[in-house]
Amino acid sequence: MMINTNSFFFGLFPILFLIIFALVIGMFVVTAIRGVSQWHRNNHSPRLTVAARVVSKREEVHSHHHHQEAHLHTHCSTSYYATFEVESGDRLELAVSGEESGMLLEGDQGLLTFQGTRFLGFERQ
């Protein structure tokens, strides 16, 4: 008895395609739910202003490549983060704007205002 391998693989392809498609859609749904959930938690968190010190800053560069006909288009974006240390010694890393990142220096001390994981401002003292 001989198994026709072509029909076996072609019969398996639609099943594998559906599984991979479902996984990709599932990842998008989970990411969207996490984003909305974080936004909701931030909105229901109290706005706090605490004495803090800037202990570090970092940048994360993302590049996206798009092929369109015979052309390659590249788009880069940069995310900025600052780590603050409060009086208790706890550290908090928050996403900040590029402009705000440029104004912060490691060692700066002042009043940090934030809401959940949302950076609202830093007033240098």
Side-chain angles (χ1 to χ4, degrees):
M1 180 191 248
M2 201 167 177
I3 297 175
N4 185 349
T5 57
N6 284 342
S7 66
F8 175 75
F9 288 116
F10 285 120
L12 191 60
F13 178 76
I15 295 169
L16 290 175
F17 178 79
L18 286 175
I19 290 170
I20 292 171
F21 181 75
L23 287 173
V24 169
I25 295 299
M27 287 177 9
F28 280 116
V29 169
V30 167
T31 301
I33 289 172
R34 284 183 180 168
V36 169
S37 176
Q38 184 64 55
W39 176 82
H40 181 73
R41 277 194 306 272
N42 283 342
N43 285 344
H44 287 87
S45 294
R47 288 179 177 230
L48 300 174
T49 300
V50 296
R53 180 174 63 93
V54 179
V55 291
S56 69
K57 300 187 318 179
R58 71 179 177 93
E59 300 174 357
E60 196 171 280
V61 179
H62 306 274
S63 63
H64 311 279
H65 304 284
H66 305 280
H67 296 279
Q68 190 173 28
E69 295 176 17
H71 302 288
L72 173 66
H73 300 279
T74 302
H75 171 75
C76 291
S77 63
T78 305
S79 299
Y80 300 91
Y81 300 91
T83 302
F84 299 91
E85 184 176 80
V86 296
E87 291 177 329
S88 67
D90 291 331
R91 291 185 175 196
L92 179 65
E93 183 180 62
L94 301 172
V96 297
S97 69
E99 182 179 337
E100 192 69 45
S101 176
M103 307 246 319
L104 294 172
L105 294 173
E106 290 183 16
D108 279 351
Q109 294 190 3
L111 296 176
L112 168 66
T113 304
F114 64 100
Q115 184 177 22
T117 60
R118 187 180 297 148
F119 173 83
L120 299 176
F122 184 76
E123 185 181 324
R124 208 170 280 95
Q125 290 184 331

